[in-house]
């Protein structure tokens, strides 16, 4: 076992900050407060009830219909008696908990649980909730149940009971569909329900499904408005308010557009209104183009009007320093409190190119054609260049969102929307920072199984100042692990983003990595072949050179033959390189190529006349003239074509792999592990002793090869006799034991005399009389499995082979927890040195299944015990007999906040 030198992981933050609400008693659980998206896409605010809510609870009760009161209280209950009112609003937040759902200042739903029995702590409680009639059907009952169950688990409760009138079908459905195993008993018209509230795979799946539907609906409210108001629509053509209004009108938006300008009767020939409240009809989306100093007045009018969403294109908020950050925070808080989502501030805008919407609420004058690609970016300034590049290359878009400062709506919300958007087949992301990386990984992994996700992650070395307050630091190794595990196609530049997107948009996915090459130049074919081999692709057959004088028919024949080859020459995809001789028109060759590859079911990329994008001759036009499926993308160079094809092939391989299962290996006792961590304490960061580490690892079925830590030669000899020979003797301290020359280790000691001699050697070397005596494990390849702290994810699992070269080249693989069986399998095969485990140069392969099992167990530790701030199994000896842990270090500390854990909430 190693020594117990402490590491220094980051200290965890508090679950929620800020001041306590007015009237809040001591112990008020502010971290239970949450903004949550209802099923209709609107926002509600949840918080624990306060004694000062008595008047509002009375008003809420009066607004309930007689029927709703009857179903909740099992009889007439026209008013709340003072005694009941005091009990309802005074709770201890432990045995008795109540949560209220607010829209603005009005209570629209209440949920509570009351502990049953006199035991302390209570383990069971009766749960109930009631929703105001005009807000029923929005999923508020399910939201309250989720948050009450989380609060109860935090307080040590494990079971809920409920009494429901049998005719209260909506309430019965809330419990039935929550994903818990519900037992029922019926007596005298009342259903008695009981269920354990421990999160299950089914309850988490229900939570995630409801979250996806609700957040997708909230984005749909932004991208599918039936009416738009432009607040700050100016008659001055140099102002952004004039620009966005002009672009809305030019795009021929299918709904009414209302300019708001108190100093003008009309703007661009459209009647203007002095305030959004003066507009006679409802307003779904308000585009805000007024200075930040005027946002409070705008907010008041939008709240009064009942606007569903705000698009703030004005700058001067978080991008302008601390004062602007405060204004931005107030903007989002007020908007959410009144049920609205916010895009921006400092956003370029949003666009939806569907024929039944035709929304261009952006500062970009021209949009690309309609297509099936959704695009999200954070930078407003960069968004204009992105749209222009997409148009130039012939890449059609379905929807576009530039979130600017990303104060509310983020890339995660768009992933939820595109998951079920039938108009989008490919998703493109330009990300500067992450707000909630764990959630991003979960959503991207699910989406990428059906729709390719291509991402540029900028800020590898720094991030924009305006976004740091709402993001978490994340190093590039973590980003790489996140993208690889989630199936996200990572690219480094916008050029590479479009290269990859064109192929995904118009061509099918390859079934494998075999690529045929056809061209009219041997030199160009060689460039393609080199590029394919560099990208670990396989060249199918010999590259075909049709010659500089080939006719269009000869080019088509060569392409047809290459695509139809069978056996060893069978190809999964094709690269065509064609540069016609001087004065030879290329249109006929392009048409011949497009016709030859139509309906082959295999992807084709071209380097055609050095053209970028989809030229008309290579396009398979849709009825509106835009490129459609079957269009052949062209690239400026062979290298770019090959790199794009290789990226898509790797993605296709990931997508064809089994999803993997999230399993719990046998022999894991999570309850015992949690009790041990509680007993050991994690309020302060500290390294566990050898005995404590061994005990904790044993809870997860991880056995450390038997050892003793002793002082003196005699004690070492006695320990060796007890453990059994052969023996290893190890110096205490990583300084000696983890050197590649093994200077602090003596192996294969077969007798007490040998142990004594080895002890004398190590004692002279280290100046200490303390050593580890350990039974020899089967010889094998030395590996390291670690849980490493990441401020964004909480923990990552790392794997690599031991050795100085591995450390120098940073040849380690990372995976985000939780680990599936496929994650574990790919983790132990990912390092560049992994062939040493699989029989490299005739060596005997190790048991990779044993390493996978060990990785899964380490992953469970990281997921179940966030108090484990770091863990290292070093070394792990992998051999044909198995994987044997011969050293371990564990550090406990305050657990980090996990934004993706618990019930639904907006970040």
């Amino acid at each position: 076992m190693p020594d117990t030198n402490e590491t220094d992981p980051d200290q965890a933050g508090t679950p929620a900050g800020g001041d306590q609400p007015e009237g809040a008693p001591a112990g008020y659980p502010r971290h239970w407060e949450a903004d949550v998206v209802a099923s209709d896409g609107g926002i509600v605010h949840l918080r624990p009830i306060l004694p000062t809510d008595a008047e509002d609870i009375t008003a809420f009760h009066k607004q309930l219909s007689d029927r709703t009161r009857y179903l909740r209280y099992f009889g007439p209950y026209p008013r709340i008696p003072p005694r009941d009112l005091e009990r309802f609003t005074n709770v201890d937040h432990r045995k008795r908990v109540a949560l209220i759902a607010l829209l603005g200042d009005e209570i629209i739903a209440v949920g509570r649980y009351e502990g049953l029995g006199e035991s302390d702590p209570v383990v069971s409680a009766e749960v109930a909730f009631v929703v105001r009639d005009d807000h029923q059907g929005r999923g508020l009952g399910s939201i309250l149940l989720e948050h009450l169950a989380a609060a109860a688990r935090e307080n040590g409760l494990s079971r809920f009971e409920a009494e429901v009138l049998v005719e209260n079908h909506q309430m019965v459905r809330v419990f039935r569909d929550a994903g818990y195993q519900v037992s029922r008993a019926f007596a005298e018209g009342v259903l008695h329900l009981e269920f354990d509230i421990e999160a299950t795979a089914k309850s988490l799946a229900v939570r995630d499904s409801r979250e996806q539907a609700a957040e997708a609906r909230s984005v749909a409210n932004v991208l599918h408005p039936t009416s738009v108001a432009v607040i700050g629509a100016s008659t001055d053509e140099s102002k952004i308010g004039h620009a966005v209004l002009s672009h809305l009108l030019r795009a021929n938006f299918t709904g009414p557009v209302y300019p708001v300008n108190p100093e003008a009767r009309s703007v661009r020939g459209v009647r203007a209104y002095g305030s959004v409240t003066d507009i006679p009809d409802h307003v779904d989306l308000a585009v805000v183009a007024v200075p930040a100093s005027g946002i409070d007045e705008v907010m008041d009018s939008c709240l009064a009007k009942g606007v569903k969403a705000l698009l703030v294109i004005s700058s001067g908020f978080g991008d302008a320093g601390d004062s602007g950050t405060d204004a931005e925070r107030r903007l989002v808080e007020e908007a959410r409190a009144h049920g609205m989502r916010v895009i921006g501030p400092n956003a370029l805008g949003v666009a939806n190119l569907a024929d039944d919407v035709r929304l261009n609420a952006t500062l970009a004058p021209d949009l690309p054609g309609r297509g099936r690609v959704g695009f999200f970016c954070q930078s407003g300034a960069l968004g204009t260049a992105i749209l222009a590049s997409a148009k130039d290359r012939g890449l059609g878009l379905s929807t576009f969102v530039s979130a600017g400062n990303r104060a509310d709506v983020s890339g995660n919300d768009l992933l939820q929307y595109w998951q079920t958007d039938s108009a989008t087949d490919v998703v493109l992301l330009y990300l500067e920072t992450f707000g909630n990386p764990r959630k991003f990984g979960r959503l991207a992994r699910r989406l990428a199984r059906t729709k390719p996700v291509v991402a540029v992650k900028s800020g590898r070395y720094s991030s924009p100042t305006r976004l740091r307050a709402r993001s978490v630091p994340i190093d590039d190794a973590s980003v790489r692990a996140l993208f690889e595990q989630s199936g996200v196609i990572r690219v480094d530049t916008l050029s590479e983003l479009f290269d990859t997107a064109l192929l995904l948009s118009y061509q099918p996915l390859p079934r494998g990595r075999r690529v045929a090459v056809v061209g009219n130049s041997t030199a160009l074919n060689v460039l393609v072949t080199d590029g394919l081999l560099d990208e670990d692709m396989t060249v199918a057959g010999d590259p075909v050179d049709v010659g500089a004088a080939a006719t269009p028919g000869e080019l088509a024949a060569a392409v047809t033959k290459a695509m139809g080859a069978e056996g060893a020459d069978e190809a999964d995809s094709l690269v065509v390189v064609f540069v016609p001789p001087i004065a030879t028109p290329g249109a006929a060759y392009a048409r011949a190529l497009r016709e030859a590859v139509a309906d082959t079911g295999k992807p084709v990329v071209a380097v055609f006349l050095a053209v970028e994008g989809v030229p008309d001759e290579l396009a398979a036009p849709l009825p509106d003239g835009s490129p459609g499926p079957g269009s052949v993308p062209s690239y400026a160079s062979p290298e770019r074509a090959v790199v794009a094809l290789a990226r898509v092939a790797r993605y296709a391989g990931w997508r064809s792999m089994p999803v993997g299962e999230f399993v719990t290996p046998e022999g894991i006792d999570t309850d015992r592990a949690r009790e041990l961590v509680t007993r050991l304490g994690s309020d302060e960061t500290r390294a566990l002793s050898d005995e404590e580490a061994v005990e904790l690892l044993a809870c997860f079925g991880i056995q450390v090869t038997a050892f003793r830590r002793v002082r003196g030669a005699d004690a070492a000899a006695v320990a060796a006799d007890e453990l059994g020979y052969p023996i290893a003797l190890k110096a205490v301290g990583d300084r000696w034991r983890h050197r590649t020359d093994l200077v602090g280790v003596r192996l294969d000691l077969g007798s007490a005399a040998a142990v004594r001699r080895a002890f004398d050697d190590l004692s002279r070397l280290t100046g200490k009389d303390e050593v580890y005596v350990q039974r020899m494990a089967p010889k094998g390849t030395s590996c390291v499995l670690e849980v490493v702290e990441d401020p964004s994810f909480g923990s990552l699992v790392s794997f690599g082979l031991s050795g100085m070269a591995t450390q120098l080249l940073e040849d380690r693989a990372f995976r985000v927890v939780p680990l599936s069986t496929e994650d574990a399998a790919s983790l132990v095969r990912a390092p560049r040195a992994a062939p040493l485990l699989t029989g490299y140069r005739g060596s005997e392969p190790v048991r990779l299944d044993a390493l996978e099992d060990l990785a899964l167990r380490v992953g469970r530790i990281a997921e179940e015990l966030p108090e484990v701030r770091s863990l290292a199994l070093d070394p792990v000896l992998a051999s044909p007999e198995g994987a044997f842990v011969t050293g371990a270090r564990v550090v406990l500390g305050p657990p980090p906040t996990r934004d993706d854990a618990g019930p639904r909430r907006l970040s």
Side-chain angles (χ1 to χ4, degrees), residues 34 47 60 117 126 224 267 288 318 364 606 664:
R47 67 164 171 83
F60 164 76
E126 183 175 1
H224 295 262
V267 183
V288 180
T664 300

Side-chain angles (χ1 to χ4, degrees), residues 578-865:
F578 188 81
V579 180
I582 297 175
T584 302
Y589 292 92
R591 284 193 294 270
L593 168 61
R594 189 192 69 211
E595 292 168 1
V597 300
D599 303 321
T600 62
K602 297 178 180 180
V604 180
V605 297
V607 182
F608 201 86
L609 301 172
V611 173
E612 285 189 282
V614 182
D616 292 341
E617 295 80 10
L618 289 175
L622 295 171
D624 64 358
S626 61
S631 300
V632 179
S634 179
Y635 298 88
S637 69
E639 294 85 356
R640 284 173 56 179
V642 167
V643 168
L645 182 60
R647 284 196 176 97
V648 172
R650 286 192 289 270
Y651 165 72
W654 175 87
R655 188 158 139 174
S656 66
M657 290 168 50
V659 176
E661 298 178 301
F662 292 96
V663 300
T664 300
E666 294 183 1
I668 290 182
D669 190 341
T670 305
D671 291 338
R672 184 162 68 93
R674 288 176 179 152
E675 291 173 1
L676 177 60
V677 168
T678 300
R679 175 163 55 83
L680 296 175
S682 59
D683 293 339
E684 296 182 358
T685 301
R686 75 173 187 91
L688 298 188
S689 68
D690 295 332
E691 293 75 15
E692 292 167 343
V694 168
E695 185 179 1
L696 182 61
L697 293 172
C699 296
F700 289 86
I702 299 174
Q703 303 299 321
V704 180
T705 303
F707 70 94
R708 303 281 192 276
R709 183 170 177 168
V710 300
R711 290 183 180 277
D714 293 339
V718 170
D721 289 338
E722 293 173 351
L723 292 170
Y725 296 98
I727 284 293
L729 220 61
K730 304 178 181 181
V732 172
D734 290 347
R735 174 188 175 188
W736 305 107
R737 295 181 40 238
H738 292 292
R739 287 170 49 168
T740 54
D741 57 7
L742 297 180
V743 68
V745 180
R746 299 293 184 270
L747 303 175
D748 287 315
L749 305 176
S751 66
V755 168
R756 292 177 185 276
R757 287 194 299 271
F759 176 87
D760 291 339
D761 287 346
L762 292 179
S763 181
R764 283 193 298 270
L765 176 69
T766 65
K768 298 181 179 179
D769 65 347
E770 188 174 28
V771 296
Y772 285 106
V773 183
Q774 189 169 41
R775 188 167 56 219
M776 283 288 297
K779 290 183 172 58
T781 303
S782 181
C783 307
V784 182
L785 256 173
E786 293 183 275
V787 174
V788 296
E789 181 65 20
D790 186 282
S792 55
F793 300 105
S795 299
L796 297 171
V797 177
S798 164
F799 175 78
L801 276 66
S802 303
M804 186 177 297
T806 295
Q807 295 175 7
L808 181 65
L809 299 176
E810 296 184 349
D811 185 20
R812 295 192 300 169
F814 298 87
R815 291 295 180 269
V816 181
V817 294
L819 293 185
S820 70
T821 50
E822 287 298 321
D823 293 333
S826 65
L827 174 67
V828 300
R829 293 167 174 81
R832 295 189 296 277
L836 294 173
L837 303 173
T838 57
Y840 182 72
R841 290 192 174 181
S843 61
E844 194 170 2
V846 309
R847 278 190 53 196
L848 289 176
D849 63 315
L851 281 175
E852 293 169 20
D853 178 75
L854 190 58
L856 287 172
R857 294 177 187 277
V858 170
R860 295 304 299 176
I861 294 175
E863 183 68 8
E864 298 291 347
L865 301 178

Side-chain angles (χ1 to χ4, degrees), residues 41-101:
I43 312 298
V44 296
H45 180 70
L46 262 58
R47 67 164 171 83
I49 203 166
L50 295 167
T52 52
D53 292 319
E55 184 176 338
D56 292 330
I57 285 289
T58 301
F60 164 76
H61 186 78
K62 288 180 179 178
Q63 291 178 289
L64 301 178
S65 67
D66 292 341
R67 176 67 175 170
T68 295
R69 286 196 290 262
Y70 167 75
L71 293 175
R72 168 63 180 89
Y73 299 104
F74 294 20
Y77 196 66
R79 64 182 182 83
I80 304 176
R83 181 177 177 181
D84 287 355
L85 183 60
E86 182 174 352
R87 178 172 175 80
F88 288 166
T89 56
N90 287 268
V91 296
D92 61 9
H93 306 299
R94 291 182 62 254
K95 293 184 179 180
R96 301 180 60 248
V97 168
L99 302 176
I100 57 175

Side-chain angles (χ1 to χ4, degrees), residues 254-274:
T254 54
V257 178
Y258 303 107
V260 177
N261 184 336
E263 299 177 359
R265 294 186 60 190
S266 67
V267 183
R268 287 293 303 262
V270 181
R271 178 188 172 184
Y273 296 86

Side-chain angles (χ1 to χ4, degrees), residues 19 47 60 76 133 169 182 195 278 296 336 374 380 382 457 481 493 496 514 543 552 555 655 684 749 756 828 834 891:
D19 299 330
R47 67 164 171 83
F60 164 76
D133 294 67
H169 304 297
V182 181
F195 53 94
D278 296 333
D296 290 338
R336 287 182 175 179
L382 192 60
K457 171 60 178 74
T493 66
E496 293 174 351
R514 299 166 299 182
L555 174 65
R655 188 158 139 174
E684 296 182 358
L749 305 176
R756 292 177 185 276
V828 300
V891 175

